[in-house]
Amino acid sequence: MLILTFVSCDSTPKQASTGEQVDDSVITTKVKSQLAQDDFLKSLQISVETFKGDVQLSGSVDSQKAVDKAGEITRGVKGVKSVKNSLVVK
């Protein structure tokens, strides 16, 4: 029974373990908070998703400066392993 408990908490390439899911939600919350605190980005609709420390930013922004700034802020958040910046300039 104990072995089954440990096996069920392991992660797979497409599914995060319970601990990783908690870490990912903390990272997502921190990134969203940092983006919302930035005067330049706070009014923009930027979607943030995290999987195993890899963060994806998506949505539409009004300038390349916003794309770059969002990526820079995200990379500065503790726990972020990589950033896929899929923001599109409209």
Side-chain angles (χ1 to χ4, degrees):
M1 185 68 124
L2 185 59
I3 292 172
L4 182 58
T5 302
F6 288 120
V7 172
S8 66
C9 291
D10 285 347
S11 65
T12 62
K14 294 183 180 181
Q15 182 177 346
S17 71
T18 304
E20 288 170 330
Q21 289 174 349
V22 171
D23 291 344
D24 286 345
S25 66
V26 169
I27 291 169
T28 297
T29 300
K30 286 181 181 179
V31 170
K32 286 181 177 182
S33 174
Q34 291 293 318
L35 295 175
Q37 289 178 17
D38 186 86
D39 289 334
F40 186 66
L41 300 173
K42 67 182 174 185
S43 65
L44 302 176
Q45 296 293 322
I46 298 174
S47 177
V48 180
E49 292 184 32
T50 307
F51 183 72
K52 295 185 176 186
D54 300 325
V55 179
Q56 180 171 2
L57 304 176
S58 58
S60 297
V61 295
D62 52 9
S63 69
Q64 185 61 45
K65 182 178 176 183
V67 172
D68 297 340
K69 181 120 181 174
E72 177 184 324
I73 288 171
T74 302
R75 281 187 288 282
V77 172
K78 183 179 178 182
V80 172
K81 294 179 183 175
S82 70
V83 177
K84 181 177 182 186
N85 195 335
S86 298
L87 292 171
V88 176
V89 178
K90 56 180 174 175

